[in-house]
Amino acid sequence: MAPAQGQYSDHSDGVEGKDRAEGPTVPPAFLAAVDALRSARLRPELEVEVTRPPQRLAPHAYAMEAAVVDGEDDLADGRLVLLHDPAGHDAWQGAFRLVTLVRAELEPEMAADPLLPEVCWSWLTGALDARGLSYGEAGGTVTRAGSHYFGALSTRRPATQIEIRASWTPRESRGGVPDAASHLMAWGDLLCQIAGLPPSDPADAAVVTLPQRRGPQVS
C-alpha cells in the first residue's frame, strides 16, 4: 500500500465480516472497493491509518482513521468506514455505505457563526459534488460543542469543537463496485477544509475555508 500522496500506516488488514471464521468468502466487489481505498492519492498533510471497523453494522466493513497534521499539531481528525451488505440494504438503497466522523477545534470568531452547521454540511456534499461523485441517501448531524475551563485548568482558553457525523450511499458501477478511491479523496478534501487548509487545486480557490487553527492548548 504505497500511495503517491498522503502518509499511511497499516497495522491491521481492517477487513471484518461474518465470514472471517467460516472461510475466505469475502465478496469480490468488497475486496475491489477496499483495494481502491488503499491505493487512493491523498494530500500529503493527511496521515491515514487502517483501524479495526465496527462489527455489527454490516456483514463486511473496512475502516480508516486520518488526521490533518501541521508539524506537531493535529488540525482535524476523522474516521471513515466502508460498509457492504451483498444482499443490499433498504435504508441505504444500495449494497455499500460510507459512514464518517470528522472533528476539528474552531477559532472563537468562527465558533460564533450561527450558520456554521449549515456551512459544514455543505462542505461534505460540496466535496463529493466537486469530484463529480454520484451518491444518495445522505444524512447526518453537525454538532458544535463549547468547553470552558476552571480551577487548575483555568489558564486554558475556551474551546469550541465542530463535529460532523454523516453517512451516504456511493453509487455502484455496472460491475457493482463504487468509486471508493474518489469518495476517500473527497473525504480527505473535507478534512483539510475543516482544518482550515487552502484548497489543493487552484481551480477551487473560491471555496471558503476556516482560518488555520492553532494546535491543541496545553495547560
Side-chain angles (χ1 to χ4, degrees), residues 146-171:
S147 298
H148 293 263
Y149 300 96
F150 300 93
L153 302 179
S154 60
T155 57
R156 292 189 181 186
R157 294 182 57 179
T160 301
Q161 186 180 75
I162 195 75
E163 179 181 278
I164 302 173
R165 293 180 180 267
S167 62
W168 65 95
T169 298
R171 296 307 184 203

Side-chain angles (χ1 to χ4, degrees), residues 24 78 92 113 119 126 194:
W92 302 353
D113 187 345
V119 170
I194 200 170

Side-chain angles (χ1 to χ4, degrees), residues 35-218:
D35 285 343
L37 289 175
R38 292 164 66 96
S39 62
R41 296 169 58 89
L42 301 174
R43 288 182 58 163
E45 299 91 345
L46 284 167
E47 292 188 357
V48 185
E49 180 176 291
V50 177
T51 188
R52 185 164 296 279
Q55 300 183 28
R56 292 189 172 90
L57 296 181
H60 309 279
Y62 183 84
M64 310 174 81
E65 293 180 343
V68 181
V69 178
D70 178 21
E72 297 182 356
D73 296 333
D74 287 358
L75 304 180
D77 63 80
R79 176 179 171 94
L80 184 70
V81 181
L82 175 69
L83 304 176
H84 179 52
D85 187 340
H89 196 293
D90 290 342
W92 302 353
Q93 293 296 300
F96 286 88
R97 188 75 171 170
L98 285 161
V99 181
T100 188
L101 164 66
V102 173
R103 298 174 299 198
E105 186 175 319
L106 303 178
E107 293 286 0
E109 61 270 21
M110 293 299 299
D113 187 345
L115 296 179
L116 184 65
E118 288 82 359
V119 170
C120 288
W121 181 256
S122 73
W123 288 345
L124 169 62
T125 57
L128 296 169
D129 294 341
R131 291 190 176 270
L133 294 170
S134 179
Y135 62 95
E137 309 305 316
T141 62
V142 177
T143 303
R144 175 171 40 190
S147 298
H148 293 263
Y149 300 96
F150 300 93
L153 302 179
S154 60
T155 57
R156 292 189 181 186
R157 294 182 57 179
T160 301
Q161 186 180 75
I162 195 75
E163 179 181 278
I164 302 173
R165 293 180 180 267
S167 62
W168 65 95
T169 298
R171 296 307 184 203
E172 302 159 25
S173 66
R174 291 183 179 179
V177 182
D179 187 357
S182 292
H183 281 271
L184 174 58
M185 288 188 287
W187 181 72
D189 294 341
L190 169 65
L191 265 176
C192 290
Q193 187 166 16
I194 200 170
L197 299 186
S200 59
D201 186 346
D204 295 334
V207 174
V208 177
T209 61
L210 289 175
Q212 186 163 333
R213 272 165 290 287
R214 300 176 300 274
Q217 301 296 308
V218 179

Side-chain angles (χ1 to χ4, degrees), residues 23-36:
T25 58
V26 180
F30 179 65
L31 291 177
V34 169
D35 285 343

